[in-house]
Amino acid sequence: MIKFLIKGLFRDKSRSRLPIIVVSIGVMLTVLMNAYVRGFMGDTIEVNSKFTNGHLKVMSRAYAEEANQIPNDLALTEVSSLLTELRAEYPEVEWAPRIQFGGLVDVPDVNGETRSQGPAIGMGVDLLSENSKEIERLNLTNSIVRGSMIAKQGEVLLSEEFSQKLGINPGEVVTLIGSSMFGSMTMYNFTVSGTVRFGAEVIDRGAIITDIEDARLALDMNDAASEILGFLKTDFYDDERVVKLVTEMNEKYADSSDEFAPVFKSLSQQGAMGQYVALVNVWSIYIPMVFVFAMSLVLWNAGLLGGLRRYGEVGIRIAMGEEKGHVYRTMIYESIFIGIAGSIFGTAFGLFFAWLIQTYGIDISGMMEGASMMLPSVIRARITPADFYIGFFPGLMSTVIGTMLSGVGIYKRQTARLFKELES
């Protein structure tokens, strides 16, 4: 009988073509929306992790208590040996030491007198090591506006807006005036190699980026770092996995009473990002579920209307002596085949469009001008295992339920009145 029903659906396009198209469109939108929401909200986390928080962060205990003030006098020391130990014990994590600092950038004139100056937020990152991924991680190459990338020690990148405010061009010299790790005043000269624009006002209005070794020389931080950021090699933040890793790491150093002993924090344990991660975990479930529910109602109604449209056909079949229960069951079987076919096609198309957005992205940099939050300038979807089956909930279940409800009317038909209905 099943083979007979499938042949009937193939041969009678009016019964299969439109329902399958409707189901496919609904499932495609469900899959695409789920991948889009998870991708956009996940990208916001990734942008903040790459610039500031990492997937996890290593700091000294004293530094962690006052991290918002960037107290480099409490920074980690003997970083080389600590990195060697971390890389050996946790190879699934990529470790990147960084130095956060603040200071005054002074631009001299031809006579060596101050021409202009302004406050800056600086970051020393590993830009010149052979195996470092920091340039790619911070997307520095694509962010260059003028000049070129740092190629040797003694060079620095300024944000484009900051350089325009100071009136300085690539190739000129600036002086960083700041405070060393030991509290003394320091002055260090840099050559501006280029300017960058990240699309976030919080960075662009006063950022200075240099190689970490130059930052160590400028701030007298030999073999030291403000913090060490850790990134999962999967490139996506997994809160459950990272929290488990952080707990294991902190237990290892729990017995140390040294205030400069390392302490580990996941991204979700760092200030406001914890609230955002929790928000993402909730809304990445609720938003797709709301859309699944909406699509379910649409496909439910499609199944209901499909059953009502065949009211005359059902009457003829009953008048010819077919049992009501058999008619009801065959309609449900047909809706199952339609739901499965539509869900497969819809999932395939949804995954295809999600892959396009995941690969090429949607550039919204024009909408990000003046943004004060760290948000991605290119929106990308993220295909997860759930996208391979989430469309079957509205596609199959709703179609079947709609047919079941519409089919209830079969049992209310009175055979004695069928011929009168058919004549009219």
Side-chain angles (χ1 to χ4, degrees), residues 245-267:
L245 270 174
V246 165
T247 302
E248 177 185 334
M249 295 171 181
N250 283 324
E251 288 176 353
K252 179 178 179 180
Y253 295 92
D255 296 334
S256 176
S257 58
D258 184 4
E259 66 174 348
F260 291 95
V263 63
F264 301 80
K265 288 191 175 184
S266 67
L267 184 144

Side-chain angles (χ1 to χ4, degrees), residues 37 108 209 241-242 409:
V37 169
I209 299 175
R241 180 183 176 189
V242 172

Side-chain angles (χ1 to χ4, degrees), residues 53 103-104 224 264 412:
N53 304 94
L104 190 67
F264 301 80
K412 299 180 181 179

Side-chain angles (χ1 to χ4, degrees), residues 47-48 50-52 100 119-123 138 140 143 157-163 165 196-209 371-375:
V47 168
N48 283 274
K50 289 175 181 178
F51 278 90
T52 310
Q100 305 284 349
I121 297 176
M123 183 163 57
L138 297 175
L140 291 177
S143 300
L157 292 172
L158 296 181
S159 64
E160 173 65 14
E161 183 179 335
F162 190 40
S163 69
K165 184 170 63 176
V196 292
R197 179 182 289 118
F198 296 105
E201 185 179 353
V202 67
I203 294 179
D204 287 337
R205 62 188 175 192
I208 175 173
I209 299 175
S372 58
M373 293 180 63
M374 292 290 293
L375 296 172

Side-chain angles (χ1 to χ4, degrees), residues 208-354:
I208 175 173
I209 299 175
T210 186
D211 182 69
I212 191 169
E213 293 302 328
D214 280 324
R216 284 169 173 163
L217 288 173
L219 303 175
D220 197 11
M221 296 180 65
N222 183 41
D223 198 22
S226 304
E227 54 206 22
I228 301 174
L229 304 188
F231 300 90
L232 297 177
K233 291 186 177 180
T234 57
D235 287 335
F236 289 109
Y237 178 69
D238 184 339
D239 189 53
E240 183 177 352
R241 180 183 176 189
V242 172
V243 169
K244 184 178 179 180
L245 270 174
V246 165
T247 302
E248 177 185 334
M249 295 171 181
N250 283 324
E251 288 176 353
K252 179 178 179 180
Y253 295 92
D255 296 334
S256 176
S257 58
D258 184 4
E259 66 174 348
F260 291 95
V263 63
F264 301 80
K265 288 191 175 184
S266 67
L267 184 144
S268 61
Q269 295 169 343
Q270 299 178 46
M273 286 306 300
Q275 299 176 0
Y276 185 78
V277 171
L279 183 67
V280 168
N281 290 336
V282 172
W283 283 106
S284 62
I285 295 174
Y286 283 167
I287 293 177
M289 285 301 103
V290 168
F291 201 77
V292 167
F293 179 73
M295 285 294 100
S296 296
L297 292 179
V298 172
L299 298 180
W300 179 0
N301 287 330
L304 189 62
L305 292 173
L308 294 176
R309 184 173 54 84
R310 298 172 60 187
Y311 203 64
E313 174 196 335
V314 170
I316 293 176
R317 292 170 64 179
I318 294 176
M320 292 176 63
E322 189 172 353
E323 294 181 357
K324 294 180 178 180
H326 185 265
V327 175
Y328 185 67
R329 288 192 298 272
T330 56
M331 290 181 65
I332 293 175
Y333 293 151
E334 287 180 1
S335 68
I336 292 175
F337 299 143
I338 290 172
I340 292 175
S343 297
I344 292 174
F345 286 122
T347 299
F349 280 109
L351 289 173
F352 172 71
F353 288 117

